[in-house]
Amino acid sequence: MIPFCDLKTQQLILKDNLDKRIATVLEHGQYIMGPEIQELEKRLSTFVGSKYALTCSSGTDAIQLVFMAMGLQPEDEVITTAFTFVSTVEVLALLKLKPVFVDINPDTFNLDIDQIEKKITSKTKAILAVSLFGQTPDMEKLETLSKKYGIKLIEDAAQSFGATFRSKKSCSFGYAGTTSFFPAKPLGCYGDGGAIMTNDESLFQTMSRIRSHGQSQKYKYSHIGVNGRMDTLQAAITLAKMDIFDEELLKRDAIAEQYTKGLSGIGSIKTPIVEKDCFSAWAQYSICVENRDDLIQFLANLKIPTAIYYPYPLHTQEAYLYLGYKTGDLPITEEISQKIVSLPFSPYLKAEDQTIIIEAIKRFYRC
Ligand SMILES: *Cc1c(COP(=O)(O)O)cnc(C)c1O
C-alpha cells in the first residue's frame, strides 16, 4: 500500500533530534507551559513575520480563542465558506455567532471574494477566510475589503502554514491567522496542537488569558476561558520539525509539480491551479474529475489510497440546517464536492510511487 500521507519517513529523518527534544522535556518535567512553549511561539512569530504567536491545543481552539477574545454578540455575522473542515463553522455556531456562506472560486476552492460585499450587513463583524489545501485567497483584496467596511479579517490557515501571498506568509494578514499542528497538516506534531498569529497586542493578551481559563493572575479570572494550552511535549516535537520545514515546503512544491505535469490533459482531470502571487504549502494535492467513485475504486484495487475533502458541504449537513440554507444555494461548492479527490501526498512521496499513481490514473482514462 502506498501511504496516503507518509509521516514515517520524516520521523526516521528526525529521529535523533526528536529523541533529544523529548528527553529534554522528560528531564525538566514542565509538561504544561514548559520552556519549549515560549521557544516555539518565538520561532513561529519569526517564521510568519507577525509580532505575536500564541500556541494552543488545536487548530479548532485557535479559531475559538480569536472569536472568544473579540467579545462579539449573539447573532453577529461572520462571512465564511461551507467548503472547509467543520471546525471553521462549528466554532462560530458554538459561540452563537451566525456563519454567512459565500460560494467558492472553482479554480482555487477558496471563498469567492467577489461575492463578499453583497453579504455584508450591519451585523457583519468578520470575514473568516480559509486557505484551503495550502493556498491563501487574495489576502490583499480581503484586507482592503475588511478596512473598507471596518470588519475583522481572520485567516483559518490550518492547511496553509508555510504558504505565501506576494512574499508575505500565510497567518501574517489581517487581524489574526490561525493554524493547526494536527499530524497530517503541513507542519504537524504527534497529537493535537495549534497556534494563532497576530500583530494586535490587545488581542494577544486577551487570548493568552482565555487560553488558561481566563486567568489574569493566579486564581483571579478576568475572562471566561478554556483549557486551551498546547502540551510542552507537542511543542518540542513541532520545534524539531521546524528545522526541516522550509526544505519540506520545497519538496512539496516539486512533488505537486510532478503530479501536474503527469496528469495535465488526461481525461476530464482538472489539476490544481496556484494563482500567480501564491506559493502553496500543499496540504493536499486535489484534482477534480468526472466519475470520481469509479476512479477511487480503480485506484483502491491497485492499493493506491485517496481521500475526499470534502464530500458534503457544511450548509447541507444536518447540524447546520438551522442556518436556513438548502441544496442549490452554493452551486460551485456543491459541484466541487462531487468532483474533488485528493491523491497520496507528502514531502516524502517516492518518485517511483508517484509514477505508479500517475500511470494508474492514465490507464483508468485509457490514455
Ligand atoms: C484541520 C483543520 C482545522 C482544525 O484543526 P484541528 O487542529 O484538527 O483542530 C480547522 N480548519 C481547517 C480548514 C482544517 O483543515
Side-chain angles (χ1 to χ4, degrees), residues 6 22 43 53 71 74 127 137 140-141 195 202 212 226 238 268 338 343:
D6 178 4
I22 291 168
R43 190 121 169 228
I127 299 167
E140 284 178 16
K141 264 195 195 166
S202 130
S212 241
V226 294
T238 310
S268 59
Q338 312 227 334
L343 302 179

Side-chain angles (χ1 to χ4, degrees), residues 70 125-128 146 150-154 175 200:
M70 283 169 73
K125 294 292 154 43
I127 299 167
L128 177 53
S146 98
I151 56 183
K152 300 268 189 324
L153 171 64
I154 294 116
Y175 187 55
D200 190 299

Side-chain angles (χ1 to χ4, degrees), residues 58-60 63 84-85 87-88 130 156 158-159 180 182 185 193 310:
S58 69
T60 307
I63 307 168
T84 176
F85 185 60
S87 303
T88 316
V130 179
D156 176 355
Q159 300 186 13
S180 162
F182 182 85
K185 308 279 176 173
Y310 296 93

